[in-house]
Amino acid sequence: MKPLAKITDGLQQSFIRSVTARVNEVNGINLGQGICDMPTPDQIKEGAKKAIDQDKSIYAPFGGIEPLKEHIVDKVRKFNQLPVDGPDNILITAGSTGAFVTAMFALLDPGDEVIMFEPLYGYHSNILKLRDIKQKTVPLFPPDWQVDFDRFEKEITPKTKAVIITTPNNPCGKVWNKNELQQLLRILEKHDLYAITDEVYEYMTYDDHTHISLGALDGGFDRTITLSSFSKTFNMTGWRLGYATGPAHIIEKMGLLSDLFYICAPSPLQFGLADGFASDDTYYEELLRDYDKKRTMMCEALESAGFYVPWPEGAYYVFASFEPLSDQPGFADDRQACETLIDKAGVGSVPGSSFYTNPEDGKYLLRFCFAKKLHELEEACDRLSKLAVKA
Ligand code: GLN
């Protein structure tokens, strides 16, 4: 038989997912994949049930249903301060991954170059590989993950077309501040580059960190595709609903591409969201309070287990180093440490190398997700803290 397409060579299940299977085998607590298993708000569930009962089962317009787009227009104006004209600036997609893929097709040709910051979200990098886009990376260093803008600018060539940032960052929790975003934008303008900003953790920022969208800065909107999602905000990662906001002419092309790839995001679920879209600030305040508490719990447990923990500024992961434990058996590298925690504590995490192009860079790092039901997180933290006593 003839071989499969070359782009499938080397494709394998991400660690983010395979850890889930491994943890389930031992009936452990999964702090690996960012599943986010708290309940979806009732109003959204009721809205979706009603839409299903009313047979709102046919294709949605490829850009998404109007009532949901109207809510999003309102949200991105108020929360993100994006200068949108209206629904033509919005595309509803199958998760923010759907939006990311269509953005990659709308903006880039094979051979173009893209710059990303490491640690990075592996799905971004792997999707670029499928498109034969050359990737360059600029490192962010703990504990505060500062950006070296000179180094960034040196990576730009005539073939560079776009930059990808994730803020708050998955896995390290960095929240890009206004000064950094302004410096970034100046360089984008100087070299005429696009930006794709993945902002799916936008409501989770801690201490004095606040979420700022690059597209909200003066001149930023015209060259930025802002990606977001309902998955994390409303605990509905499996519904696969996300969206992109950007200049209408780019959003239109992305919509045409999304139509070709999968026609539209699921209609009844879009109606459910339109019905239950939280416009009330208290929902987001409670969400943040809950995550803030869980962040403290997770960081303190890892610290007492002997990890070096740069506390995340945002998102719901802790990207911690076990280098201080690396002379102990079972902690030689990230994969082994991940296995050790599953074996000894029944707690799943994601090996750090999954977030770097050079696996060595993540050798002593593990990512822990704290978007868990409180009692499960408490149990996981308890087991991790006790691990230190045994070690
Ligand atoms: N974004 C989530 C994470 O980083 C989930 C990704 C996935 O399930 N593949 O864990």
Side-chain angles (χ1 to χ4, degrees):
M1 301 271 273
K2 291 185 177 170
L4 303 183
K6 283 194 195 62
I7 56 162
T8 64
D9 292 350
L11 269 191
Q12 53 185 344
Q13 185 167 232
S14 71
F15 263 105
I16 289 178
R17 275 184 169 281
S18 58
V19 162
T20 298
R22 179 72 188 89
V23 179
N24 289 345
E25 264 169 36
V26 301
N27 208 10
I29 303 175
N30 189 6
L31 307 185
Q33 190 176 12
I35 290 172
C36 202
D37 55 7
M38 280 81 67
T40 309
D42 284 341
Q43 240 185 314
I44 298 180
K45 290 193 282 203
E46 290 311 317
K49 286 182 213 165
K50 197 172 83 195
I52 291 168
D53 285 342
Q54 291 175 348
D55 285 321
K56 292 192 170 164
S57 309
I58 58 167
Y59 301 126
F62 65 73
I65 61 163
E66 252 352 84
L68 182 54
K69 281 195 187 186
E70 292 289 354
H71 277 299
I72 298 172
V73 164
D74 197 42
K75 177 262 174 188
V76 297
R77 275 188 187 141
K78 285 193 189 130
F79 179 77
N80 306 86
Q81 310 206 335
L82 297 176
V84 292
D85 294 324
D88 288 352
N89 296 111
I90 310 293
L91 171 70
I92 298 169
T93 52
S96 71
T97 308
F100 183 80
V101 172
T102 56
M104 293 303 98
F105 272 83
L107 295 177
L108 303 168
D109 288 307
D112 285 344
E113 292 179 9
V114 164
I115 304 178
M116 290 183 285
F117 296 86
E118 283 192 302
L120 47 75
Y121 179 48
Y123 280 63
H124 291 162
S125 159
N126 287 333
I127 289 165
L128 288 176
K129 274 188 211 151
L130 294 181
R131 290 240 53 217
D132 225 352
I133 309 292
K134 184 160 180 201
Q135 309 175 37
K136 292 189 162 178
T137 53
V138 177
L140 304 169
F141 293 105
D144 48 5
W145 313 102
Q146 295 220 2
V147 187
D148 181 341
F149 283 100
D150 290 335
R151 187 155 173 183
F152 166 60
E153 200 166 2
K154 283 200 189 100
E155 296 292 352
I156 298 172
T157 75
K159 286 190 173 170
T160 310
K161 205 160 177 197
V163 54
I164 298 171
I165 68 163
T166 306
T167 182
N169 178 279
N170 172 9
C172 74
K174 175 187 173 60
V175 176
W176 284 62
N177 65 37
K178 190 158 188 188
N179 181 26
E180 289 170 329
L181 291 169
Q182 274 165 338
Q183 287 190 69
L184 177 72
L185 183 57
R186 269 200 295 276
I187 299 173
L188 299 182
E189 284 171 336
K190 182 169 153 198
H191 298 274
D192 188 21
L193 305 178
Y194 291 104
I196 298 93
T197 65
D198 183 338
E199 306 184 12
V200 301
Y201 303 98
E202 59 198 345
Y203 286 104
M204 296 137 207
T205 57
Y206 312 107
D207 305 326
D208 53 351
H209 299 282
T210 47
H211 178 71
I212 301 170
S213 293
L214 180 71
L217 304 188
D218 234 4
F221 189 72
D222 294 344
R223 54 181 72 250
T224 304
I225 309 290
T226 308
L227 308 183
S228 195
S229 160
F230 303 104
S231 295
K232 328 285 177 181
T233 311
F234 297 133
N235 309 323
M236 48 198 299
T237 53
W239 287 44
R240 307 315 302 134
L241 286 175
Y243 55 97
T245 308
H249 69 286
I250 307 179
I251 289 294
E252 188 195 354
K253 295 288 186 196
M254 286 171 60
L256 295 169
L257 287 159
S258 129
D259 181 34
L260 289 180
F261 294 150
Y262 52 80
I263 315 288
C264 64
S267 322
L269 303 188
Q270 291 191 49
F271 281 104
L273 254 173
D275 263 18
F277 204 100
S279 47
D280 175 2
D281 282 350
T282 54
Y283 176 82
Y284 302 100
E285 285 159 13
E286 266 171 41
L287 172 139
L288 186 56
R289 254 199 309 279
D290 184 52
Y291 276 120
D292 204 0
K293 196 163 117 194
K294 289 176 176 171
R295 174 185 77 136
T296 303
M297 198 187 289
M298 185 82 254
C299 289
E300 287 179 353
L302 288 168
E303 279 172 352
S304 57
F307 282 66
Y308 168 67
V309 185
W311 284 44
E313 298 168 352
Y316 55 48
Y317 305 103
V318 180
F319 201 42
S321 168
F322 57 88
E323 200 161 3
L325 304 172
S326 59
D327 55 350
Q328 299 194 18
F331 287 93
D333 64 29
D334 58 326
R335 290 194 192 191
Q336 205 185 78
C338 177
E339 272 299 317
T340 302
L341 294 189
I342 295 173
D343 284 349
K344 286 199 177 170
V347 173
S349 57
V350 181
S353 52
S354 322
F355 305 98
Y356 289 94
T357 39
N358 175 9
E360 276 294 301
D361 292 336
K363 187 176 171 189
Y364 293 118
L365 292 160
L366 290 175
R367 189 193 77 173
F368 297 84
C369 170
F370 55 85
K372 297 296 289 180
K373 295 189 185 90
L374 188 63
H375 67 277
E376 284 188 55
L377 187 66
E378 274 167 349
E379 171 66 24
C381 287
D382 193 45
R383 293 188 198 176
L384 287 170
S385 314
K386 285 189 184 134
L387 195 72
V389 183
K390 276 193 225 151

